[in-house]
Amino acid sequence: MSNKRTKNQEQILKLINNNSEEMSAQNLHFQIQQHGLRIGLATVYRTLKLLKIEGEIQERVTPDGESFYSTINSVYHHYHHLNCVNCGKSYPMNICPLSQKITDWCHSQKFKVYYHTLEFFGLCAACQDQDIASECLSAN
Amino acid sequence: MSNKRTKNQEQILKLINNNSEEMSAQNLHFQIQQHGLRIGLATVYRTLKLLKIEGEIQERVTPDGESFYSTINSVYHHYHHLNCVNCGKSYPMNICPLSQKITDWCHSQKFKVYYHTLEFFGLCAACQDQDIASECLSAN
DNA sequence: CTGAAAGTGATAATCATTCTCATAATACAG
DNA sequence: CTGTATTATGAGAATGATTATCACTTTCAG
Ligand SMILES: [Mn+2]
Ligand SMILES: [Mn+2]
Ligand SMILES: [Zn+2]
Ligand SMILES: [Zn+2]
Protein backbone atom coordinates (compact mmCIF):
# COMPACT_ATOMS: atom_id res chain seq x y z
CA MET A 1 0.00 0.00 0.00
CA SER A 2 1.98 2.96 -1.22
CA ASN A 3 -0.47 5.61 -0.18
CA LYS A 4 2.18 8.19 0.52
CA ARG A 5 3.95 9.89 -2.31
CA THR A 6 7.68 10.06 -2.75
CA LYS A 7 9.57 13.31 -2.69
CA ASN A 8 10.24 12.89 -6.39
CA GLN A 9 6.60 12.20 -7.12
CA GLU A 10 5.49 15.25 -5.16
CA GLN A 11 7.87 17.49 -7.05
CA ILE A 12 6.71 16.23 -10.42
CA LEU A 13 3.06 16.73 -9.47
CA LYS A 14 3.84 20.19 -8.17
CA LEU A 15 5.57 21.07 -11.42
CA ILE A 16 2.53 19.98 -13.41
CA ASN A 17 0.08 21.81 -11.16
CA ASN A 18 2.05 25.04 -11.27
CA ASN A 19 2.47 25.03 -15.02
CA SER A 20 -0.15 26.72 -17.14
CA GLU A 21 0.48 24.54 -20.18
CA GLU A 22 0.37 20.85 -20.82
CA MET A 23 3.78 19.23 -20.89
CA SER A 24 5.31 16.11 -22.37
CA ALA A 25 7.35 13.67 -20.32
CA GLN A 26 10.52 14.71 -22.09
CA ASN A 27 9.75 18.37 -21.49
CA LEU A 28 9.05 17.70 -17.81
CA HIS A 29 12.35 15.89 -17.45
CA PHE A 30 14.18 18.77 -19.08
CA GLN A 31 12.57 21.37 -16.80
CA ILE A 32 13.40 19.26 -13.76
CA GLN A 33 17.05 19.35 -14.71
CA GLN A 34 16.82 23.12 -15.22
CA HIS A 35 15.65 23.40 -11.62
CA GLY A 36 18.81 21.57 -10.56
CA LEU A 37 16.94 18.45 -9.51
CA ARG A 38 18.14 14.96 -10.35
CA ILE A 39 15.22 12.78 -11.35
CA GLY A 40 15.73 10.09 -13.95
CA LEU A 41 13.62 9.96 -17.07
CA ALA A 42 12.32 6.52 -16.12
CA THR A 43 11.04 7.91 -12.82
CA VAL A 44 9.24 10.69 -14.66
CA TYR A 45 7.40 8.14 -16.78
CA ARG A 46 6.64 5.94 -13.78
CA THR A 47 5.28 8.89 -11.84
CA LEU A 48 3.11 10.04 -14.72
CA LYS A 49 1.55 6.59 -14.89
CA LEU A 50 0.93 6.66 -11.15
CA LEU A 51 -0.60 10.15 -11.08
CA LYS A 52 -2.76 9.24 -14.03
CA ILE A 53 -4.19 6.25 -12.19
CA GLU A 54 -4.75 8.34 -9.10
CA GLY A 55 -6.82 10.77 -11.14
CA GLU A 56 -4.50 13.71 -10.52
CA ILE A 57 -3.47 14.42 -14.10
CA GLN A 58 -4.89 13.96 -17.58
CA GLU A 59 -3.21 12.77 -20.72
CA ARG A 60 -3.71 13.96 -24.28
CA VAL A 61 -2.19 11.91 -27.08
CA THR A 62 -1.35 13.92 -30.16
CA PRO A 63 -1.78 12.46 -33.65
CA ASP A 64 1.95 11.83 -33.85
CA GLY A 65 1.80 9.67 -30.74
CA GLU A 66 3.32 11.96 -28.14
CA SER A 67 1.57 12.31 -24.79
CA PHE A 68 0.99 15.61 -23.03
CA TYR A 69 0.02 15.92 -19.39
CA SER A 70 -1.79 18.56 -17.40
CA THR A 71 -3.60 18.91 -14.10
CA ILE A 72 -7.19 17.75 -14.00
CA ASN A 73 -8.45 20.06 -11.30
CA SER A 74 -8.03 23.41 -12.99
CA VAL A 75 -10.98 24.22 -15.23
CA TYR A 76 -8.51 26.52 -16.88
CA HIS A 77 -7.05 23.56 -18.68
CA HIS A 78 -10.24 21.99 -19.92
CA TYR A 79 -9.85 22.56 -23.63
CA HIS A 80 -11.00 20.79 -26.74
CA HIS A 81 -9.57 21.38 -30.17
CA LEU A 82 -10.25 21.63 -33.85
CA ASN A 83 -7.42 19.63 -35.37
CA CYS A 84 -6.46 20.09 -38.98
CA VAL A 85 -5.59 16.74 -40.57
CA ASN A 86 -3.49 18.51 -43.17
CA CYS A 87 -1.24 21.03 -41.43
CA GLY A 88 -1.59 19.50 -37.97
CA LYS A 89 -2.47 22.76 -36.23
CA SER A 90 -4.78 22.63 -33.20
CA TYR A 91 -7.29 25.40 -32.64
CA PRO A 92 -8.54 25.45 -29.03
CA MET A 93 -12.28 25.70 -28.47
CA ASN A 94 -13.58 27.79 -25.61
CA ILE A 95 -16.65 25.69 -24.98
CA CYS A 96 -17.38 22.16 -23.84
CA PRO A 97 -20.54 20.83 -25.49
CA LEU A 98 -20.96 17.96 -23.07
CA SER A 99 -23.91 18.08 -20.76
CA GLN A 100 -23.62 16.99 -17.17
CA LYS A 101 -26.11 14.26 -17.99
CA ILE A 102 -23.65 12.26 -20.00
CA THR A 103 -21.09 12.29 -17.21
CA ASP A 104 -23.76 11.20 -14.79
CA TRP A 105 -24.63 8.38 -17.13
CA CYS A 106 -21.04 7.19 -17.18
CA HIS A 107 -21.04 7.05 -13.40
CA SER A 108 -24.27 5.07 -13.46
CA GLN A 109 -22.35 2.52 -15.51
CA LYS A 110 -20.07 1.95 -12.50
CA PHE A 111 -17.33 3.74 -14.38
CA LYS A 112 -15.55 6.42 -12.37
CA VAL A 113 -14.89 9.28 -14.79
CA TYR A 114 -11.75 11.31 -14.17
CA TYR A 115 -11.84 13.40 -17.33
CA HIS A 116 -12.72 13.31 -20.99
CA THR A 117 -11.22 14.31 -24.30
CA LEU A 118 -13.16 15.66 -27.24
CA GLU A 119 -11.43 16.46 -30.47
CA PHE A 120 -12.68 17.46 -33.89
CA PHE A 121 -10.76 16.61 -37.04
CA GLY A 122 -10.99 18.17 -40.46
CA LEU A 123 -9.53 21.01 -42.47
CA CYS A 124 -8.80 24.47 -41.18
CA ALA A 125 -9.75 27.49 -43.27
CA ALA A 126 -6.26 27.96 -44.66
CA CYS A 127 -5.97 24.36 -45.77
CA GLN A 128 -9.37 24.29 -47.45
CA ASP A 129 -8.09 26.73 -50.05
CA GLN A 130 -5.14 24.64 -51.10
CA ASP A 131 -4.66 21.73 -53.43
CA ILE A 132 -4.09 19.53 -50.46
CA ALA A 133 -3.49 16.11 -51.91
CA SER A 134 -0.68 17.33 -54.11
CA GLU A 135 1.19 18.88 -51.22
CA CYS A 136 0.54 16.02 -48.84
CA LEU A 137 3.19 13.71 -50.21
CA SER A 138 5.33 16.32 -51.85
CA ALA A 139 8.13 15.75 -49.37
CA ASN A 140 8.67 12.43 -51.04
CA MET B 1 -3.28 17.77 -58.96
CA SER B 2 -3.41 14.11 -58.05
CA ASN B 3 -7.16 13.79 -58.15
CA LYS B 4 -7.12 10.22 -59.34
CA ARG B 5 -6.13 7.47 -56.96
CA THR B 6 -3.51 4.85 -57.60
CA LYS B 7 -4.34 1.18 -57.86
CA ASN B 8 -2.52 0.65 -54.58
CA GLN B 9 -4.42 3.48 -52.92
CA GLU B 10 -7.73 2.12 -54.15
CA GLN B 11 -6.99 -1.32 -52.76
CA ILE B 12 -6.01 0.03 -49.38
CA LEU B 13 -9.17 2.15 -49.17
CA LYS B 14 -11.25 -0.82 -50.27
CA LEU B 15 -9.70 -2.98 -47.57
CA ILE B 16 -10.54 -0.38 -44.92
CA ASN B 17 -14.09 0.10 -46.17
CA ASN B 18 -14.80 -3.62 -46.28
CA ASN B 19 -13.41 -4.30 -42.82
CA SER B 20 -15.75 -4.10 -39.86
CA GLU B 21 -13.00 -3.24 -37.38
CA GLU B 22 -10.50 -0.46 -37.16
CA MET B 23 -7.03 -1.49 -38.24
CA SER B 24 -3.48 -0.32 -37.61
CA ALA B 25 -1.06 0.42 -40.43
CA GLN B 26 0.99 -2.63 -39.52
CA ASN B 27 -2.10 -4.80 -39.49
CA LEU B 28 -3.20 -3.45 -42.86
CA HIS B 29 0.17 -4.21 -44.35
CA PHE B 30 0.02 -7.75 -43.02
CA GLN B 31 -3.44 -8.38 -44.44
CA ILE B 32 -2.35 -6.99 -47.80
CA GLN B 33 0.40 -9.58 -47.92
CA GLN B 34 -2.09 -12.28 -46.98
CA HIS B 35 -4.11 -11.32 -50.03
CA GLY B 36 -1.04 -11.92 -52.19
CA LEU B 37 -0.58 -8.24 -52.95
CA ARG B 38 2.79 -6.52 -52.89
CA ILE B 39 2.45 -3.09 -51.33
CA GLY B 40 5.31 -1.70 -49.29
CA LEU B 41 4.81 -0.58 -45.72
CA ALA B 42 5.89 2.94 -46.63
CA THR B 43 3.15 3.14 -49.24
CA VAL B 44 0.59 2.02 -46.67
CA TYR B 45 1.57 4.89 -44.40
CA ARG B 46 1.64 7.36 -47.26
CA THR B 47 -1.80 6.28 -48.42
CA LEU B 48 -3.25 6.51 -44.93
CA LYS B 49 -2.04 10.08 -44.65
CA LEU B 50 -3.56 10.88 -48.04
CA LEU B 51 -6.95 9.29 -47.31
CA LYS B 52 -7.03 11.04 -43.96
CA ILE B 53 -6.58 14.43 -45.60
CA GLU B 54 -9.22 13.59 -48.18
CA GLY B 55 -11.67 12.90 -45.37
CA GLU B 56 -12.17 9.25 -46.33
CA ILE B 57 -10.91 7.64 -43.14
CA GLN B 58 -10.62 8.51 -39.48
CA GLU B 59 -7.76 7.94 -37.10
CA ARG B 60 -7.88 6.96 -33.43
CA VAL B 61 -4.65 7.20 -31.43
CA THR B 62 -4.48 4.82 -28.49
CA PRO B 63 -2.82 5.85 -25.22
CA ASP B 64 0.25 3.83 -26.17
CA GLY B 65 0.66 5.86 -29.34
CA GLU B 66 -0.53 3.44 -31.98
CA SER B 67 -2.95 4.70 -34.64
CA PHE B 68 -6.01 2.80 -35.81
CA TYR B 69 -7.92 3.62 -38.95
CA SER B 70 -11.49 3.04 -40.07
CA THR B 71 -13.93 4.35 -42.62
CA ILE B 72 -15.72 7.57 -41.78
CA ASN B 73 -18.89 7.00 -43.72
CA SER B 74 -20.27 4.01 -41.86
CA VAL B 75 -22.23 5.09 -38.79
CA TYR B 76 -21.54 1.57 -37.66
CA HIS B 77 -18.06 2.65 -36.66
CA HIS B 78 -18.94 5.76 -34.76
CA TYR B 79 -18.02 4.69 -31.27
CA HIS B 80 -16.81 6.42 -28.17
CA HIS B 81 -15.24 4.68 -25.23
CA LEU B 82 -14.85 4.56 -21.49
CA ASN B 83 -11.12 4.02 -21.07
CA CYS B 84 -9.73 2.65 -17.83
CA VAL B 85 -6.47 4.40 -16.96
CA ASN B 86 -5.45 1.42 -14.85
CA CYS B 87 -6.02 -1.74 -16.87
CA GLY B 88 -6.25 -0.01 -20.22
CA LYS B 89 -9.49 -1.67 -21.28
CA SER B 90 -11.87 0.27 -23.52
CA TYR B 91 -15.61 -0.07 -23.04
CA PRO B 92 -17.51 1.10 -26.13
CA MET B 93 -20.45 3.44 -25.61
CA ASN B 94 -23.53 3.04 -27.77
CA ILE B 95 -24.46 6.70 -27.74
CA CYS B 96 -22.96 9.92 -29.00
CA PRO B 97 -23.84 12.82 -26.71
CA LEU B 98 -22.94 15.49 -29.21
CA SER B 99 -25.73 17.59 -30.61
CA GLN B 100 -25.79 18.60 -34.22
CA LYS B 101 -25.53 22.17 -33.03
CA ILE B 102 -21.93 21.86 -32.00
CA THR B 103 -20.90 20.44 -35.35
CA ASP B 104 -22.73 23.28 -37.04
CA TRP B 105 -20.86 25.71 -34.87
CA CYS B 106 -17.53 24.23 -35.94
CA HIS B 107 -18.49 24.75 -39.55
CA SER B 108 -19.43 28.34 -38.81
CA GLN B 109 -15.85 28.76 -37.65
CA LYS B 110 -14.71 28.03 -41.22
CA PHE B 111 -13.46 24.67 -40.03
CA LYS B 112 -14.53 21.73 -42.16
CA VAL B 113 -15.27 18.90 -39.73
CA TYR B 114 -14.61 15.40 -41.03
CA TYR B 115 -15.18 13.54 -37.75
CA HIS B 116 -14.71 13.78 -34.01
CA THR B 117 -13.39 11.67 -31.17
CA LEU B 118 -14.80 11.62 -27.67
CA GLU B 119 -13.20 9.53 -24.98
CA PHE B 120 -13.78 9.24 -21.26
CA PHE B 121 -10.99 8.27 -18.91
CA GLY B 122 -11.20 6.91 -15.38
CA LEU B 123 -11.49 3.63 -13.53
CA CYS B 124 -13.61 0.68 -14.57
CA ALA B 125 -15.67 -1.16 -11.97
CA ALA B 126 -13.13 -3.94 -11.56
CA CYS B 127 -10.25 -1.57 -11.00
CA GLN B 128 -12.11 0.56 -8.46
CA ASP B 129 -12.06 -2.36 -6.04
CA GLN B 130 -8.32 -2.83 -6.13
CA ASP B 131 -5.42 -1.23 -4.39
CA ILE B 132 -4.41 0.33 -7.63
CA ALA B 133 -1.32 2.34 -6.81
CA SER B 134 0.47 -0.67 -5.40
CA GLU B 135 -0.09 -2.74 -8.50
CA CYS B 136 0.67 0.07 -10.91
CA LEU B 137 4.42 -0.08 -10.62
CA SER B 138 4.72 -3.62 -9.33
CA ALA B 139 6.17 -4.84 -12.61
CA ASN B 140 9.26 -2.87 -11.82
C1' DC C 1 8.11 9.27 -78.29
C1' DT C 2 10.10 11.95 -74.27
C1' DG C 3 11.21 14.00 -70.23
C1' DA C 4 9.45 15.77 -65.99
C1' DA C 5 6.63 14.63 -62.10
C1' DA C 6 4.65 11.45 -59.08
C1' DG C 7 4.55 6.78 -57.07
C1' DT C 8 6.91 2.82 -55.00
C1' DG C 9 9.44 -0.38 -51.91
C1' DA C 10 13.52 -1.95 -49.44
C1' DT C 11 15.97 -0.27 -45.94
C1' DA C 12 17.95 2.82 -42.55
C1' DA C 13 17.05 6.30 -39.19
C1' DT C 14 14.25 8.46 -35.62
C1' DC C 15 12.61 8.93 -31.11
C1' DA C 16 9.17 8.58 -27.41
C1' DT C 17 8.45 5.02 -24.36
C1' DT C 18 9.45 0.78 -21.90
C1' DC C 19 12.52 -2.62 -19.98
C1' DT C 20 16.64 -4.24 -17.25
C1' DC C 21 19.14 -4.52 -13.42
C1' DA C 22 22.19 -3.00 -9.98
C1' DT C 23 21.89 0.22 -6.25
C1' DA C 24 19.62 3.34 -2.80
C1' DA C 25 15.96 4.59 0.14
C1' DT C 26 12.28 3.28 3.02
C1' DA C 27 9.24 0.45 5.97
C1' DC C 28 8.79 -2.55 9.51
C1' DA C 29 9.21 -6.58 12.66
C1' DG C 30 11.67 -8.08 16.55
C1' DC D 1 18.15 0.33 17.45
C1' DT D 2 19.23 -3.29 13.86
C1' DG D 3 18.76 -6.35 10.34
C1' DT D 4 15.70 -7.51 6.52
C1' DA D 5 12.09 -7.26 3.12
C1' DT D 6 9.98 -4.09 0.11
C1' DT D 7 9.80 -0.35 -2.82
C1' DA D 8 11.93 3.47 -5.43
C1' DT D 9 15.48 5.11 -8.46
C1' DG D 10 18.51 6.06 -12.46
C1' DA D 11 21.66 4.91 -16.25
C1' DG D 12 21.51 2.81 -20.15
C1' DA D 13 19.80 -0.78 -23.46
C1' DA D 14 15.87 -2.41 -26.02
C1' DT D 15 11.53 -1.79 -28.30
C1' DG D 16 8.61 -0.70 -32.06
C1' DA D 17 5.66 2.30 -34.66
C1' DT D 18 6.50 5.85 -37.75
C1' DT D 19 9.29 8.57 -40.90
C1' DA D 20 13.14 9.63 -44.02
C1' DT D 21 16.20 8.08 -47.91
C1' DC D 22 17.10 6.97 -52.33
C1' DA D 23 17.29 4.38 -56.41
C1' DC D 24 14.00 2.76 -59.43
C1' DT D 25 9.38 2.49 -61.91
C1' DT D 26 5.12 4.31 -63.64
C1' DT D 27 2.26 7.93 -65.38
C1' DC D 28 1.06 11.36 -68.55
C1' DA D 29 0.99 15.95 -70.79
C1' DG D 30 2.93 17.91 -74.78
MN1 LIG E 1 -15.22 18.87 -22.14
MN1 LIG F 1 -19.77 11.12 -31.57
ZN1 LIG G 1 -4.69 23.23 -41.66
ZN1 LIG H 1 -9.82 -1.17 -15.42
Side-chain angles (χ1 to χ4, degrees):
Chain A
M1 268 197 226
S2 54
N3 242 346
K4 190 183 175 187
R5 293 207 191 93
T6 303
K7 194 173 180 182
N8 281 343
Q9 293 166 354
E10 287 289 2
Q11 279 174 321
I12 291 175
L13 176 58
K14 189 177 175 184
L15 192 52
I16 295 175
N17 282 336
N18 290 346
N19 211 298
S20 63
E21 296 184 10
E22 61 183 5
M23 292 152 66
S24 67
Q26 301 285 343
N27 191 301
L28 265 168
H29 182 240
F30 180 76
Q31 292 208 24
I32 285 168
Q33 290 180 321
Q34 295 297 303
H35 289 216
L37 305 178
R38 301 290 162 84
I39 302 180
L41 183 57
T43 297
V44 173
Y45 276 104
R46 279 186 286 242
T47 300
L48 288 172
K49 181 188 277 187
L50 180 72
L51 295 175
K52 196 170 57 175
I53 292 177
E54 291 181 345
E56 289 284 348
I57 63 176
Q58 63 185 306
E59 177 184 18
R60 184 174 77 97
V61 184
T62 65
D64 50 286
E66 195 175 2
S67 287
F68 286 81
Y69 302 88
S70 58
T71 180
I72 282 188
N73 304 315
S74 168
V75 182
Y76 183 56
H77 288 293
H78 189 106
Y79 274 120
H80 304 305
H81 303 81
L82 303 176
N83 304 279
C84 181
V85 297
N86 185 50
C87 67
K89 286 199 185 112
S90 291
Y91 302 84
M93 300 168 60
N94 55 359
I95 59 174
C96 172
L98 287 180
S99 65
Q100 185 61 41
K101 277 185 183 176
I102 184 62
T103 302
D104 292 343
W105 177 84
C106 291
H107 281 100
S108 79
Q109 302 295 105
K110 310 296 183 203
F111 191 94
K112 185 176 183 182
V113 177
Y114 282 157
Y115 66 98
H116 65 262
T117 64
L118 169 63
E119 301 292 318
F120 291 87
F121 295 87
L123 292 179
C124 72
C127 288
Q128 287 178 54
D129 299 329
Q130 302 174 12
D131 178 14
I132 305 162
S134 65
E135 291 191 0
C136 165
L137 310 175
S138 62
N140 175 23
Chain B
M1 265 196 229
S2 54
N3 243 345
K4 189 183 175 186
R5 293 206 191 92
T6 302
K7 194 173 180 180
N8 281 342
Q9 294 167 354
E10 286 289 2
Q11 279 174 322
I12 291 175
L13 176 56
K14 188 176 175 184
L15 192 53
I16 295 175
N17 282 336
N18 290 345
N19 210 298
S20 63
E21 297 184 9
E22 61 183 4
M23 294 153 64
S24 67
Q26 302 284 341
N27 191 302
L28 265 168
H29 182 239
F30 181 76
Q31 292 208 24
I32 285 168
Q33 290 179 321
Q34 296 296 304
H35 289 217
L37 306 178
R38 300 289 164 83
I39 302 180
L41 183 57
T43 297
V44 172
Y45 277 103
R46 280 188 283 243
T47 300
L48 288 172
K49 181 188 278 187
L50 179 71
L51 294 175
K52 197 170 56 174
I53 292 178
E54 291 182 344
E56 289 284 348
I57 63 175
Q58 63 184 306
E59 176 183 20
R60 185 175 75 98
V61 184
T62 64
D64 50 285
E66 195 176 2
S67 287
F68 286 82
Y69 302 87
S70 58
T71 181
I72 282 186
N73 304 315
S74 169
V75 182
Y76 183 56
H77 287 294
H78 190 108
Y79 274 120
H80 304 304
H81 303 80
L82 303 176
N83 304 280
C84 182
V85 296
N86 186 52
C87 66
K89 284 194 186 119
S90 290
Y91 302 85
M93 300 167 60
N94 56 359
I95 58 173
C96 172
L98 287 181
S99 66
Q100 184 61 40
K101 277 185 185 178
I102 184 61
T103 302
D104 291 343
W105 177 84
C106 291
H107 281 100
S108 78
Q109 302 296 106
K110 308 299 181 200
F111 192 94
K112 184 175 183 183
V113 176
Y114 282 157
Y115 66 97
H116 66 261
T117 64
L118 170 63
E119 302 291 319
F120 291 87
F121 295 86
L123 293 179
C124 72
C127 288
Q128 287 178 54
D129 299 331
Q130 302 172 11
D131 176 16
I132 305 164
S134 64
E135 291 189 0
C136 165
L137 311 175
S138 62
N140 176 23

